[in-house]
Amino acid sequence: EDDADYWYYANGDGNILANRVKKIKGKTYGFDEYGRMISGLALIKYDGTSDSDGELIEKIADDDSALPYDTEDAFNETAMTRIASELADGTYRFMYFSGSDDGAMKTGRQTIDIDGESFSFKFQTKSNVKGAGVTDMDDDKYYVGGKLIKADKEDKYQVVKVAEYANVDGVMAKVVVDDGVKIGEITGLGTGKRNAKDDATEWDLTAAATQDILKQYRIVNTSGKVVEGANKTVKNGDDYKLKVNKDGVIQSVILED
């Protein structure tokens, strides 16, 4: 039934479905607390139970006071700082449903508009969390809540901080919890030494204790690809040269005058 700007769905008893995700005629749809079909990007909290009307859920409004996601900054804060572990284990899921004329759940790669800007997302295709935004490393790229983590064009390369949380299968997922790590946070782990010959300052970060800390950090480029390779060196937008090892752990930072 089309009521104003919303679609609703009634079960065999004539009751309107609410707070449910349900497969209908081969497609999956979501319905909020009022029974309105969910469309667009939505943060969904899963109850962990289901009945004949589908899986019990709660849709979080995009301007929610605790978990907003109506702007890029709000999305990042919510996904990386407030519910990173819950996104990994599937308790909370960013999901994407078609426009209000269809509303079917989408999977795989999608381009989504948030507050007037377009972002690359990727949603799970496997059955137990199908439709959930990927929150892990996938194809050498990091995603959180489905959103691709990448460097801005002017930055060229970006250092990110990564934590590990158990996913729905109990496997540890690699989750970005800070996508804007400042170079000073990295160089602060070592002591800069002036190299007059090369007219540069170098921070050697290969001490064992320092490397243990740096295992939490990685570098991504403008396509989201993680920088790896023995002695691989890249220069960011502020002219800092960062060298990594084969696993992508930062070994040194150089700033030339």
Side-chain angles (χ1 to χ4, degrees), residues 176-192:
V176 172
V177 293
D178 185 350
D179 69 341
V181 176
K182 304 298 183 184
I183 288 294
E185 185 172 334
I186 304 303
T187 57
L189 297 172
T191 301

Side-chain angles (χ1 to χ4, degrees), residues 2-3 10 16 56 73 170 176 184 193 204 207 212 227 230 250:
D2 189 2
D3 181 7
I16 297 295
L56 275 70
D73 288 344
V176 172
K193 293 185 178 181
D204 184 344
D212 283 343
V227 176
I250 300 170

Side-chain angles (χ1 to χ4, degrees), residues 30-181:
F31 301 91
D32 68 13
E33 61 181 314
Y34 303 107
R36 301 175 302 195
M37 185 177 71
I38 299 169
S39 62
L41 181 67
L43 177 58
I44 307 292
K45 183 179 181 182
Y46 272 71
D47 182 89
T49 59
S50 61
D51 56 24
S52 59
D53 286 335
E55 295 183 87
L56 275 70
I57 58 99
E58 175 189 357
K59 177 185 179 291
I60 310 300
D62 65 357
D63 60 353
D64 183 75
S65 59
L67 301 173
Y69 54 98
D70 53 350
T71 66
E72 180 187 11
D73 288 344
F75 181 100
N76 290 346
E77 174 74 15
T78 291
M80 298 182 207
T81 304
R82 301 183 182 180
I83 55 169
S85 64
E86 291 87 350
L87 288 173
D89 68 21
T91 302
Y92 280 94
R93 305 175 191 181
F94 277 103
M95 304 177 72
Y96 185 55
F97 299 88
S98 299
S100 57
D101 59 334
D102 176 25
M105 180 187 76
K106 296 295 187 180
T107 63
R109 290 183 173 83
Q110 304 290 333
T111 300
I112 298 177
D113 180 276
I114 300 177
D115 195 31
E117 292 187 69
S118 295
F119 298 92
S120 297
F121 277 73
K122 190 173 186 180
F123 297 90
Q124 294 281 8
T125 57
K126 59 183 183 180
S127 60
N128 57 342
V129 287
K130 190 172 183 178
V134 174
T135 299
D136 199 353
M137 178 185 275
D138 188 291
D139 291 334
D140 297 322
K141 297 179 180 180
Y142 292 112
Y143 297 84
V144 181
K147 182 173 174 285
L148 174 66
I149 305 300
K150 62 180 184 177
D152 292 335
K153 288 184 178 179
E154 59 269 24
D155 293 331
K156 299 180 182 177
Y157 294 91
Q158 177 62 55
V159 179
V160 300
K161 188 174 184 179
V162 181
E164 291 192 346
Y165 299 111
N167 67 14
V168 68
D169 298 316
V171 177
M172 300 308 289
K174 296 178 174 61
V175 183
V176 172
V177 293
D178 185 350
D179 69 341
V181 176

